[in-house]
PDB file of all heavy atoms in Angstrom:
ATOM      1  N   ASN A 777      94.673  82.953  88.128  1.00 89.00           N
ATOM      2  CA  ASN A 777      94.854  82.956  89.617  1.00 89.00           C
ATOM      3  C   ASN A 777      95.369  84.243  90.106  1.00 89.00           C
ATOM      4  O   ASN A 777      96.389  84.708  89.560  1.00 89.00           O
ATOM      5  CB  ASN A 777      95.863  81.792  89.979  1.00 89.00           C
ATOM      6  CG  ASN A 777      95.486  80.442  89.744  1.00 89.00           C
ATOM      7  OD1 ASN A 777      94.278  80.140  89.955  1.00 89.00           O
ATOM      8  ND2 ASN A 777      96.278  79.584  89.188  1.00 89.00           N
ATOM      9  N   PRO A 778      94.727  84.883  90.981  1.00 91.00           N
ATOM     10  CA  PRO A 778      95.228  86.119  91.586  1.00 91.00           C
ATOM     11  C   PRO A 778      96.505  85.904  92.292  1.00 91.00           C
ATOM     12  O   PRO A 778      96.666  84.917  92.998  1.00 91.00           O
ATOM     13  CB  PRO A 778      94.079  86.674  92.397  1.00 91.00           C
ATOM     14  CG  PRO A 778      93.302  85.462  92.774  1.00 91.00           C
ATOM     15  CD  PRO A 778      93.496  84.441  91.668  1.00 91.00           C
ATOM     16  N   LEU A 779      97.422  86.883  92.192  1.00 91.00           N
ATOM     17  CA  LEU A 779      98.702  86.811  92.930  1.00 91.00           C
ATOM     18  C   LEU A 779      98.866  88.047  93.811  1.00 91.00           C
ATOM     19  O   LEU A 779      98.481  89.083  93.420  1.00 91.00           O
ATOM     20  CB  LEU A 779      99.893  86.699  92.012  1.00 91.00           C
ATOM     21  CG  LEU A 779      99.978  85.525  91.067  1.00 91.00           C
ATOM     22  CD1 LEU A 779     101.098  85.730  90.073  1.00 91.00           C
ATOM     23  CD2 LEU A 779     100.112  84.236  91.828  1.00 91.00           C
ATOM     24  N   SER A 780      99.402  87.795  94.972  1.00 90.00           N
ATOM     25  CA  SER A 780      99.725  88.994  95.835  1.00 90.00           C
ATOM     26  C   SER A 780     101.076  89.586  95.335  1.00 90.00           C
ATOM     27  O   SER A 780     101.785  88.898  94.488  1.00 90.00           O
ATOM     28  CB  SER A 780      99.870  88.589  97.268  1.00 90.00           C
ATOM     29  OG  SER A 780     101.008  87.748  97.425  1.00 90.00           O
ATOM     30  N   LEU A 781     101.425  90.718  95.748  1.00 92.00           N
ATOM     31  CA  LEU A 781     102.660  91.334  95.279  1.00 92.00           C
ATOM     32  C   LEU A 781     103.902  90.498  95.679  1.00 92.00           C
ATOM     33  O   LEU A 781     104.840  90.418  94.948  1.00 92.00           O
ATOM     34  CB  LEU A 781     102.797  92.733  95.871  1.00 92.00           C
ATOM     35  CG  LEU A 781     101.867  93.816  95.302  1.00 92.00           C
ATOM     36  CD1 LEU A 781     102.059  95.154  96.024  1.00 92.00           C
ATOM     37  CD2 LEU A 781     102.041  93.972  93.842  1.00 92.00           C
ATOM     38  N   VAL A 782     103.808  89.864  96.858  1.00 90.00           N
ATOM     39  CA  VAL A 782     104.950  89.005  97.261  1.00 90.00           C
ATOM     40  C   VAL A 782     105.035  87.772  96.348  1.00 90.00           C
ATOM     41  O   VAL A 782     106.175  87.392  95.950  1.00 90.00           O
ATOM     42  CB  VAL A 782     104.752  88.558  98.732  1.00 90.00           C
ATOM     43  CG1 VAL A 782     105.771  87.545  99.153  1.00 90.00           C
ATOM     44  CG2 VAL A 782     104.759  89.779  99.678  1.00 90.00           C
ATOM     45  N   GLU A 783     103.931  87.228  95.876  1.00 91.00           N
ATOM     46  CA  GLU A 783     103.968  86.181  94.998  1.00 91.00           C
ATOM     47  C   GLU A 783     104.518  86.590  93.624  1.00 91.00           C
ATOM     48  O   GLU A 783     105.280  85.833  92.960  1.00 91.00           O
ATOM     49  CB  GLU A 783     102.562  85.508  94.865  1.00 91.00           C
ATOM     50  CG  GLU A 783     102.172  84.832  96.099  1.00 91.00           C
ATOM     51  CD  GLU A 783     100.684  84.486  96.066  1.00 91.00           C
ATOM     52  OE1 GLU A 783      99.859  85.177  95.483  1.00 91.00           O
ATOM     53  OE2 GLU A 783     100.342  83.426  96.705  1.00 91.00           O
ATOM     54  N   VAL A 784     104.151  87.800  93.136  1.00 92.00           N
ATOM     55  CA  VAL A 784     104.661  88.334  91.931  1.00 92.00           C
ATOM     56  C   VAL A 784     106.204  88.453  92.001  1.00 92.00           C
ATOM     57  O   VAL A 784     106.931  88.063  91.084  1.00 92.00           O
ATOM     58  CB  VAL A 784     104.020  89.690  91.561  1.00 92.00           C
ATOM     59  CG1 VAL A 784     104.723  90.341  90.363  1.00 92.00           C
ATOM     60  CG2 VAL A 784     102.511  89.514  91.223  1.00 92.00           C
ATOM     61  N   LYS A 785     106.680  88.929  93.206  1.00 91.00           N
ATOM     62  CA  LYS A 785     108.094  89.110  93.423  1.00 91.00           C
ATOM     63  C   LYS A 785     108.787  87.757  93.284  1.00 91.00           C
ATOM     64  O   LYS A 785     109.917  87.585  92.690  1.00 91.00           O
ATOM     65  CB  LYS A 785     108.312  89.698  94.806  1.00 91.00           C
ATOM     66  CG  LYS A 785     109.739  90.093  95.098  1.00 91.00           C
ATOM     67  CD  LYS A 785     109.830  90.814  96.428  1.00 91.00           C
ATOM     68  CE  LYS A 785     111.175  91.338  96.755  1.00 91.00           C
ATOM     69  NZ  LYS A 785     111.204  92.040  98.012  1.00 91.00           N
ATOM     70  N   GLU A 786     108.250  86.701  93.855  1.00 91.00           N
ATOM     71  CA  GLU A 786     108.771  85.381  93.788  1.00 91.00           C
ATOM     72  C   GLU A 786     108.830  84.814  92.376  1.00 91.00           C
ATOM     73  O   GLU A 786     109.816  84.278  91.958  1.00 91.00           O
ATOM     74  CB  GLU A 786     107.970  84.400  94.696  1.00 91.00           C
ATOM     75  CG  GLU A 786     108.115  84.687  96.154  1.00 91.00           C
ATOM     76  CD  GLU A 786     107.110  83.890  97.020  1.00 91.00           C
ATOM     77  OE1 GLU A 786     106.252  83.149  96.482  1.00 91.00           O
ATOM     78  OE2 GLU A 786     107.142  84.034  98.261  1.00 91.00           O
ATOM     79  N   LYS A 787     107.736  85.093  91.641  1.00 92.00           N
ATOM     80  CA  LYS A 787     107.719  84.594  90.243  1.00 92.00           C
ATOM     81  C   LYS A 787     108.670  85.378  89.410  1.00 92.00           C
ATOM     82  O   LYS A 787     109.405  84.717  88.589  1.00 92.00           O
ATOM     83  CB  LYS A 787     106.274  84.894  89.588  1.00 92.00           C
ATOM     84  CG  LYS A 787     105.200  84.042  90.240  1.00 92.00           C
ATOM     85  CD  LYS A 787     105.294  82.606  89.739  1.00 92.00           C
ATOM     86  CE  LYS A 787     104.110  81.848  90.262  1.00 92.00           C
ATOM     87  NZ  LYS A 787     104.263  80.398  90.035  1.00 92.00           N
ATOM     88  N   LEU A 788     108.866  86.629  89.626  1.00 93.00           N
ATOM     89  CA  LEU A 788     109.866  87.381  88.838  1.00 93.00           C
ATOM     90  C   LEU A 788     111.329  86.848  89.175  1.00 93.00           C
ATOM     91  O   LEU A 788     112.146  86.742  88.272  1.00 93.00           O
ATOM     92  CB  LEU A 788     109.866  88.864  89.185  1.00 93.00           C
ATOM     93  CG  LEU A 788     108.687  89.663  88.530  1.00 93.00           C
ATOM     94  CD1 LEU A 788     108.667  91.017  89.063  1.00 93.00           C
ATOM     95  CD2 LEU A 788     108.770  89.618  87.016  1.00 93.00           C
ATOM     96  N   ALA A 789     111.526  86.494  90.395  1.00 92.00           N
ATOM     97  CA  ALA A 789     112.850  85.906  90.795  1.00 92.00           C
ATOM     98  C   ALA A 789     113.054  84.592  90.056  1.00 92.00           C
ATOM     99  O   ALA A 789     114.185  84.335  89.579  1.00 92.00           O
ATOM    100  CB  ALA A 789     112.970  85.696  92.250  1.00 92.00           C
ATOM    101  N   GLU A 790     112.033  83.726  89.958  1.00 93.00           N
ATOM    102  CA  GLU A 790     112.146  82.501  89.198  1.00 93.00           C
ATOM    103  C   GLU A 790     112.425  82.779  87.738  1.00 93.00           C
ATOM    104  O   GLU A 790     113.261  82.055  87.163  1.00 93.00           O
ATOM    105  CB  GLU A 790     110.800  81.707  89.336  1.00 93.00           C
ATOM    106  CG  GLU A 790     110.521  81.109  90.649  1.00 93.00           C
ATOM    107  CD  GLU A 790     109.168  80.499  90.704  1.00 93.00           C
ATOM    108  OE1 GLU A 790     108.558  80.126  89.705  1.00 93.00           O
ATOM    109  OE2 GLU A 790     108.675  80.265  91.859  1.00 93.00           O
ATOM    110  N   VAL A 809     107.174  96.130  92.673  1.00 91.00           N
ATOM    111  CA  VAL A 809     106.955  95.098  93.688  1.00 91.00           C
ATOM    112  C   VAL A 809     107.942  95.231  94.781  1.00 91.00           C
ATOM    113  O   VAL A 809     107.654  95.118  95.983  1.00 91.00           O
ATOM    114  CB  VAL A 809     106.984  93.683  93.011  1.00 91.00           C
ATOM    115  CG1 VAL A 809     107.147  92.574  94.052  1.00 91.00           C
ATOM    116  CG2 VAL A 809     105.811  93.496  92.112  1.00 91.00           C
ATOM    117  N   ALA A 813     105.800  95.625  98.033  1.00 83.00           N
ATOM    118  CA  ALA A 813     105.448  94.363  98.624  1.00 83.00           C
ATOM    119  C   ALA A 813     105.770  94.293 100.071  1.00 83.00           C
ATOM    120  O   ALA A 813     106.924  94.586 100.420  1.00 83.00           O
ATOM    121  CB  ALA A 813     106.164  93.249  97.846  1.00 83.00           C
ATOM    122  N   GLU A 815     106.266  91.849 103.008  1.00 74.00           N
ATOM    123  CA  GLU A 815     106.503  90.401 103.180  1.00 74.00           C
ATOM    124  C   GLU A 815     106.241  89.908 104.569  1.00 74.00           C
ATOM    125  O   GLU A 815     106.770  88.834 104.968  1.00 74.00           O
ATOM    126  CB  GLU A 815     107.915  90.115 102.709  1.00 74.00           C
ATOM    127  CG  GLU A 815     108.139  90.387 101.272  1.00 74.00           C
ATOM    128  CD  GLU A 815     109.508  89.911 100.787  1.00 74.00           C
ATOM    129  OE1 GLU A 815     109.916  88.750 101.173  1.00 74.00           O
ATOM    130  OE2 GLU A 815     110.069  90.616  99.994  1.00 74.00           O
ATOM    131  N   THR A 818     102.815  86.916 104.720  1.00 85.00           N
ATOM    132  CA  THR A 818     101.666  87.093 103.936  1.00 85.00           C
ATOM    133  C   THR A 818     100.847  85.775 103.749  1.00 85.00           C
ATOM    134  O   THR A 818      99.650  85.787 103.702  1.00 85.00           O
ATOM    135  CB  THR A 818     102.012  87.631 102.548  1.00 85.00           C
ATOM    136  OG1 THR A 818     103.008  86.796 101.932  1.00 85.00           O
ATOM    137  CG2 THR A 818     102.514  89.089 102.632  1.00 85.00           C
ATOM    138  N   LYS A 819     101.537  84.643 103.666  1.00 86.00           N
ATOM    139  CA  LYS A 819     100.851  83.398 103.442  1.00 86.00           C
ATOM    140  C   LYS A 819     100.040  83.012 104.744  1.00 86.00           C
ATOM    141  O   LYS A 819      98.933  82.559 104.612  1.00 86.00           O
ATOM    142  CB  LYS A 819     101.809  82.299 103.081  1.00 86.00           C
ATOM    143  CG  LYS A 819     102.425  82.455 101.754  1.00 86.00           C
ATOM    144  CD  LYS A 819     103.463  81.456 101.332  1.00 86.00           C
ATOM    145  CE  LYS A 819     103.984  81.774  99.942  1.00 86.00           C
ATOM    146  NZ  LYS A 819     105.088  81.090  99.500  1.00 86.00           N
ATOM    147  N   ALA A 822      97.006  85.326 104.829  1.00 91.00           N
ATOM    148  CA  ALA A 822      95.970  84.944 103.882  1.00 91.00           C
ATOM    149  C   ALA A 822      95.190  83.747 104.430  1.00 91.00           C
ATOM    150  O   ALA A 822      93.939  83.717 104.285  1.00 91.00           O
ATOM    151  CB  ALA A 822      96.627  84.598 102.515  1.00 91.00           C
ATOM    152  N   ARG A 826      91.229  83.528 105.166  1.00 94.00           N
ATOM    153  CA  ARG A 826      90.328  82.482 104.596  1.00 94.00           C
ATOM    154  C   ARG A 826      89.615  81.675 105.660  1.00 94.00           C
ATOM    155  O   ARG A 826      88.457  81.331 105.499  1.00 94.00           O
ATOM    156  CB  ARG A 826      91.203  81.527 103.771  1.00 94.00           C
ATOM    157  CG  ARG A 826      91.610  82.069 102.438  1.00 94.00           C
ATOM    158  CD  ARG A 826      92.328  80.996 101.622  1.00 94.00           C
ATOM    159  NE  ARG A 826      93.232  81.625 100.733  1.00 94.00           N
ATOM    160  CZ  ARG A 826      94.572  81.690 100.921  1.00 94.00           C
ATOM    161  NH1 ARG A 826      95.137  81.039 101.911  1.00 94.00           N
ATOM    162  NH2 ARG A 826      95.343  82.325 100.035  1.00 94.00           N
ATOM    163  N   GLU A 835      89.107  84.864  96.469  1.00 92.00           N
ATOM    164  CA  GLU A 835      90.621  84.825  96.618  1.00 92.00           C
ATOM    165  C   GLU A 835      91.193  86.138  96.135  1.00 92.00           C
ATOM    166  O   GLU A 835      92.180  86.594  96.787  1.00 92.00           O
ATOM    167  CB  GLU A 835      91.146  83.684  95.766  1.00 92.00           C
ATOM    168  CG  GLU A 835      92.597  83.457  95.957  1.00 92.00           C
ATOM    169  CD  GLU A 835      92.994  83.066  97.415  1.00 92.00           C
ATOM    170  OE1 GLU A 835      92.159  82.547  98.148  1.00 92.00           O
ATOM    171  OE2 GLU A 835      94.145  83.276  97.754  1.00 92.00           O
ATOM    172  N   LYS A 839      93.832  88.566  98.363  1.00 93.00           N
ATOM    173  CA  LYS A 839      95.195  89.028  97.840  1.00 93.00           C
ATOM    174  C   LYS A 839      95.234  90.561  97.939  1.00 93.00           C
ATOM    175  O   LYS A 839      96.223  91.100  98.329  1.00 93.00           O
ATOM    176  CB  LYS A 839      95.367  88.560  96.418  1.00 93.00           C
ATOM    177  CG  LYS A 839      95.330  87.053  96.265  1.00 93.00           C
ATOM    178  CD  LYS A 839      96.479  86.372  96.907  1.00 93.00           C
ATOM    179  CE  LYS A 839      96.400  84.906  96.711  1.00 93.00           C
ATOM    180  NZ  LYS A 839      97.652  84.193  96.926  1.00 93.00           N
ATOM    181  N   ILE A 842      95.808  91.633 101.514  1.00 92.00           N
ATOM    182  CA  ILE A 842      97.154  91.331 101.942  1.00 92.00           C
ATOM    183  C   ILE A 842      98.096  92.438 101.374  1.00 92.00           C
ATOM    184  O   ILE A 842      99.050  92.847 102.067  1.00 92.00           O
ATOM    185  CB  ILE A 842      97.571  89.945 101.490  1.00 92.00           C
ATOM    186  CG1 ILE A 842      96.862  88.851 102.325  1.00 92.00           C
ATOM    187  CG2 ILE A 842      99.126  89.733 101.657  1.00 92.00           C
ATOM    188  CD1 ILE A 842      97.028  87.540 101.805  1.00 92.00           C
ATOM    189  N   ASP A 843      97.903  92.770 100.107  1.00 91.00           N
ATOM    190  CA  ASP A 843      98.798  93.783  99.456  1.00 91.00           C
ATOM    191  C   ASP A 843      98.642  95.184 100.057  1.00 91.00           C
ATOM    192  O   ASP A 843      99.645  95.881 100.260  1.00 91.00           O
ATOM    193  CB  ASP A 843      98.479  93.878  97.946  1.00 91.00           C
ATOM    194  CG  ASP A 843      98.976  92.662  97.184  1.00 91.00           C
ATOM    195  OD1 ASP A 843      99.858  91.961  97.694  1.00 91.00           O
ATOM    196  OD2 ASP A 843      98.492  92.493  96.053  1.00 91.00           O
TER     197      ASP A 843
END
Side-chain angles (χ1 to χ4, degrees):
N777 294 320
L779 298 174
S780 68
L781 290 178
V782 172
E783 292 167 328
V784 170
K785 189 175 184 178
E786 292 169 358
K787 292 286 183 189
L788 284 174
E790 289 174 17
V809 168
E815 297 188 40
T818 56
K819 291 178 182 171
R826 284 187 209 103
E835 187 62 24
K839 302 292 180 164
I842 291 169
D843 286 342

